[in-house]
Every structure is written in structure tokens, then in C-alpha cells.
Amino acid sequence: MVEPEQAILFRIPWVDDEGNVRVNRGYRVQFNSAIGPYKGGLRFHPSVNLSIVKFLGFEQILKNALTTLPMGGAKGGSDFDPKGKSDREIMRFCQSMMTELFRHIGPDTDVPAGDIGVGAREVGYLFGQYKRLTNTWTGAMTGKGLSFGGSLARTEATGFGLCYFADAQLRDNGQTFVGKRVVISGSGNVAIYANQKATELGGKVVAMSDSSGYIVDENGIDFRVIRVIKEDKRDRIKTYLDYVPGASYVEGCHGIWSVPCDIAMPCATQNEMDEHDVALLIQSGCIGVFEGSNMSLTPKAIAAVKNGGLLYSPSKASNAGGVAASGLEMSQNSGRVSWTFEEVDARLKTIMEGIYHACADAAERYGMNGDIQAGANIAGFLKVADAMLAEGICG
Ligand code: NDP
């Protein structure tokens, strides 16, 4: 299982607005197809390399298994930096990427989606090029726009799902979101909708960040303002002060964990919380850390959280809501139907609560009561390993 079935590396040439030829590197690691077509996002960020794509792809195998939907594991992306690029440049880049990627994907083979730097706009350009090249309209990508096969509630799904999971774990431990101070790192897709749901469940989100710095608003950060800044204006989070002058801004994103909170939700990127951050959280009386970004905590931070007696949810379980809604988008596309927002949201909630209980049960069954990380690894592994054994070895 630790060996990818295949890893594809390719060149992505494109022309910028000044007429210069640029070349980026593209990746797709198709890790495991035992329980369904490969499934996992594409990331556009200068830090993307084969090592990052591989760890994300491996995690995706277990995560997808936990959703109970038939999806294998994959991940992909490019070292392309979308920041500061015009719409036309983004379009040309996406079209060039798909000009190679299309031969490796398809609705029954591999179904990519978004991730860091890849939202509805990028998925639209990628999907459009796939459609042109294959002369088919199929659900070969998820995260599509609503007018061309996208699912209602897919945009909200990862952030909402994170809060449904955290709520289930909190309740199982005699707690709720009500009246809790919540700190959420990042201000992208996952962070914005985690803010919305955490607030709806009775929490108060007092800090959020981007890669430049973080904001603190003791009155609670309205997710709608962050959505305007990040989704409509594609601006920096410090401009929050233009909308809410009473808030404060601190340069440098790492310090966000020094803001006192009851619930911490890292939703930016991998390894964004270390053991020193955890020490600060413990000092401030934090009761739980729930991962929204993939592998948010370093191994030392995870150990510190567990030793400190805080609740902890690993990303492969608590951020599975995005891929779960993608699985629901695939079902809708195959059946040529569209479900309502409420229908998708209700299924998402059921899936996330189911994942929490599957992890908790597996942990208990294997003598690690309360260790949701161990439970997630065991439950995900068993499902995929059983399928791999049943399908036989060919070589
Ligand atoms: P977005 O691109 O929408 O937002 C990412 C956010 O994190 C931005 O605020 C960005 O700030 C910040 N960020 C990115 N890289 C860094 C970095 N190296 N250091 C500090 N801050 C950083 O991405 P998503 O919200 O979609 O994804 C966030 C995380 O959630 C990722 O780990 C992703 O893999 C994971 N995830 C996402 C899913 C989804 O459905 N979108 C599903 C499952 C997991 P800035 O704008 O300044 O770069």
C-alpha cells in the first residue's frame, strides 16, 4: 500500500501576458485503486514537489476509505504560483496542464478536484479543456461550477464537515461548541466555511490568518467579510481592518496559536503547528485541536497534544468532508441528477458523524480507547487492505 500504483510527472509550458514562455512541472500520483477510481485534489503552490504529492496521496487512500464511498487515493498539482497571475494566465496554464493530464484521468479511472490554489475558477478551466480534448461530458473532475455539474454544498463541505466531526467528538466527551473561543488558521476554502459552521454551532471565531499574518477580532470574525476579501477580491487578510476597524492585525502567520482559545482548527497547510504552539494552546486552556488542513501538526505537536490530554482529530478523518461531497458529486453526475443543498449537507453530516464513530470504535477495539488518530489509521487501512487481498496479486 505504501508504493503508488503509478506516479506521472510532466512538463506544463504556457505563455504569460508579456508573451514569455514559462514552464512548470506537473504531478499526478495515482496511489491506490483497490476500492474505487483514484480520487484526490490538485494543488497549485510553489512548494509543490513529488514528496508533498506522495504524502498527500497516501493520506488520501485512508481518508477516502473512511468516507465509506467507493474512491481510491491520488493527489496531484504543480509548482505553479497562481498569486499575481491574470485570469487569462490562469486559464492558459490550466489548459496546458490538462493537455497532458487528460490521458491519465476519466470518470471511472481518476477524478481530480481542487486543493490549495485550485478553486472553482481553476476547476472550470481544467474541466473545459478535458471536455474539448475528449469530446465527452463526464464527471471527470469534481468541484465544478453549479451550472456544469457541480454539487451544491461542495464549496462548504470541508469546513462544514470539519465542524460536524469536531462537534461529534466534543459531544462524545461531554462538550459542545457553545460559548467556545475558536481560532482558525488560514482564510481559504476550508477556513472560511469552518468559521461559518463553528459560529452556527455556537462558537466565536476570534482569529484567522493568511500566509502573511493574522487578524484578531474579539467580537467574532464574520465569515462573510473574509469571503469578500478572499473569494471576491483575492486580497490579503490585513484588509479586514478596512471593514472592521476595531480588529487588530499581526504580521507573520505563525503567531496565531498564541491567541487564547478553547478550540484550535488549523486550516492552512501541512506542519503549521509545532510542539511550541501546542504548549501555548495548553497554557491558554485549549480543550481540542481538530485538523482541517492536511497533516497540520508535526509529529512532535501530535505527541504534545495527546500528552496534554487535549482532544485531537487527524486530518484524514476530520477533513474528509470535501472528498465525501466530491463522491456525492460523482454520484449525481453518473445519475444525471442534482440534489438540494439540504440533501447534500444532511448526507455530509451523517458521513462525518459516521467517520468519527468508526474511528472511535476501531480505537477501542484495538485497545487504544480515545485515540482517534490510531482509530482512523486502523479503520482506513483494514478496508483497503481487505480489498487489495481480495483482488489478488498480479506481477
Ligand atoms: P486555499 O488555497 O483556499 O487556502 C489556503 C489558505 O492557507 C490561505 O489562507 C493561504 O494563505 C494559507 N496558506 C497556504 N499555504 C501556506 C503556507 N505555506 N503557510 C501559511 N499559510 C499558508 O486552500 P484550501 O482551504 O482548499 O486548503 C487548505 C488545507 O486544507 C490544505 O492542507 C488542503 O490540502 C486541505 N484540504 C482542502 C480541501 C478542500 O476541499 N479545499 C479538502 C481536504 C483538505 P495565502 O492566501 O496567503 O497563500
Side-chain angles (χ1 to χ4, degrees):
M1 201 188 288
V2 295
E3 191 66 25
E5 290 175 21
Q6 54 263 332
I8 303 143
L9 263 78
F10 53 100
R11 178 177 64 177
I12 310 177
W14 57 283
V15 180
D16 69 18
D17 286 346
E18 278 73 52
N20 304 306
V21 175
R22 308 263 208 118
V23 180
N24 286 94
R25 196 167 286 164
Y27 304 87
R28 187 69 179 166
V29 175
Q30 298 178 325
F31 229 117
N32 195 298
S33 61
I35 64 168
Y38 305 113
K39 180 93 197 85
L42 297 173
R43 176 177 292 190
F44 292 172
H45 194 272
S47 65
V48 167
N49 57 33
L50 185 58
S51 159
I52 289 183
V53 177
K54 278 180 71 181
F55 95 71
L56 290 167
F58 183 73
E59 284 290 289
Q60 197 81 44
I61 303 172
L62 302 175
K63 182 187 310 193
N64 293 2
L66 288 171
T67 65
T68 69
L69 303 174
M71 298 181 289
K75 199 79 188 188
S78 172
D79 57 1
F80 174 73
D81 186 358
K83 280 205 195 87
K85 302 291 189 300
S86 70
D87 248 17
R88 289 301 170 97
E89 289 177 323
I90 300 277
M91 183 178 78
R92 287 196 292 272
F93 174 81
C94 290
Q95 291 174 343
S96 181
M97 180 175 200
M98 190 51 81
T99 301
E100 175 56 37
L101 193 59
F102 88 98
R103 62 187 99 248
H104 307 286
I105 66 170
D108 298 318
T109 311
D110 182 356
V111 185
D115 189 71
I116 291 179
V118 179
R121 173 182 62 168
E122 291 75 16
V123 170
Y125 293 146
L126 288 160
F127 179 74
Q129 186 70 350
Y130 178 85
K131 194 172 62 65
R132 279 178 212 106
L133 290 166
T134 59
N135 197 29
T136 55
W137 195 110
T138 64
M141 290 208 60
T142 58
K144 299 185 291 296
L146 291 179
S147 59
F148 55 100
S151 174
L152 286 161
R154 171 60 187 94
T155 306
E156 293 82 355
T158 310
F160 278 23
L162 169 65
C163 293
Y164 293 143
F165 188 101
D167 193 42
Q169 192 170 355
L170 285 165
R171 283 176 189 279
D172 208 17
N173 289 276
Q175 302 273 359
T176 67
F177 269 96
V178 177
K180 302 286 191 303
R181 287 170 64 88
V182 183
V183 167
I184 299 178
S185 64
S187 48
N189 174 264
V190 180
I192 290 173
Y193 298 99
N195 175 330
Q196 182 183 352
K197 188 52 72 181
T199 308
E200 282 172 13
L201 290 170
K204 184 164 77 167
V205 179
V206 291
M208 291 182 77
S209 60
D210 61 18
S211 58
S212 309
Y214 65 94
I215 51 165
V216 180
D217 182 350
E218 288 296 336
N219 294 319
I221 298 169
D222 185 343
F223 81 94
R224 283 165 288 229
V225 178
I226 303 294
R227 200 169 57 183
V228 167
I229 296 171
K230 289 291 172 182
E231 290 183 2
D232 301 348
K233 305 212 159 147
R234 297 183 187 275
D235 215 335
R236 306 309 297 160
I237 202 158
K238 68 175 163 207
T239 62
Y240 183 81
L241 272 52
D242 299 341
Y243 302 83
V244 185
S248 56
Y249 173 75
V250 181
E251 197 70 29
C253 58
H254 204 79
I256 189 166
W257 307 119
S258 65
V259 179
C261 67
D262 304 302
I263 293 174
M265 292 185 151
C267 294
T269 193
Q270 65 271 3
N271 294 329
E272 56 171 309
M273 189 186 287
D274 63 21
E275 71 274 25
H276 307 294
D277 301 320
V278 175
L280 291 172
L281 289 173
I282 292 174
Q283 253 174 36
S284 78
C286 178
I287 58 169
V289 180
F290 304 92
E291 289 188 338
S293 50
N294 280 313
M295 294 186 111
S296 330
L297 273 65
T298 63
K300 282 184 180 167
I302 295 173
V305 165
K306 288 184 180 175
N307 291 338
L310 278 68
L311 300 177
Y312 168 64
S313 74
S315 53
K316 67 174 74 71
S318 49
N319 76 11
V323 75
S326 281
L328 300 177
E329 182 174 333
M330 288 163 73
S331 302
Q332 293 171 76
N333 290 167
S334 304
R336 299 274 192 268
V337 293
S338 308
W339 298 332
T340 62
F341 186 99
E342 291 69 27
E343 206 171 343
V344 180
D345 189 31
R347 285 178 195 245
L348 172 69
K349 187 163 186 282
T350 305
I351 289 172
M352 295 313 296
E353 289 169 354
I355 296 175
Y356 171 71
H357 291 293
C359 296
D361 291 351
E364 194 180 344
R365 206 166 346 116
Y366 284 80
M368 285 174 271
N369 207 0
D371 187 338
I372 301 303
Q373 183 190 28
N377 286 335
I378 293 166
F381 173 81
L382 286 177
K383 181 168 180 185
V384 179
D386 280 349
M388 288 174 76
L389 291 173
E391 289 169 15
I393 295 165
C394 173

